Amino acid sequence: MNTILLTKEDLEGTVFELHFEELKKLAERKSKDINYILDCVAAYYGVSVKDICSSSRRRNLVAARSNFAFIAREIDLICGLRYKHSLQFIGTMINRDHSSVIHAIERVKNDCIAPRFKKELKDLIDSLFGTIGIERFELVIKL
């Protein structure tokens, strides 16, 4: 397979220049969205982003990490956005690998059987996305 590297100058004056700019804006928006989610999760749990990204196994930090991973991965279903963050990208945000993110997401889905955990996650999603997020969250948990 051959790889062609193009610079912005190579795209100038072509149809692809517009698409390049759109892709760049989408990448910036995705990054802002996931950082916003991470900030909100940290504020909800009363910890810092640095704490969430640390290697600590304290219960509240594990819960914050897991809920962040779940929301970041299922954001397309929860708030109707058209993209999904990759497991690797989410893991990079919290200094974990993709398999840890998979485990965290599955754990959140399993924990939502218990009313206490479900309420905690609902409150967090409500603080992020409002009531529309809650309605879609109910659908995500049932999947």
Side-chain angles (χ1 to χ4, degrees), residues 85-96:
H85 294 294
S86 71
L87 298 170
Q88 185 177 7
F89 181 71
I90 295 166
T92 302
M93 293 292 296
I94 54 175
N95 295 324
R96 299 291 186 280

Side-chain angles (χ1 to χ4, degrees), residues 37-71:
I37 293 168
L38 188 56
D39 290 341
C40 288
V41 169
Y44 179 84
Y45 283 95
V47 297
S48 70
V49 171
K50 186 177 177 182
D51 289 337
I52 291 175
C53 298
S54 72
S55 61
S56 174
R57 293 186 189 180
R58 288 190 325 211
R59 184 174 294 191
N60 66 329
L61 295 180
V62 171
R65 252 182 243 126
S66 298
N67 287 334
F68 165 74
F70 174 80
I71 292 169

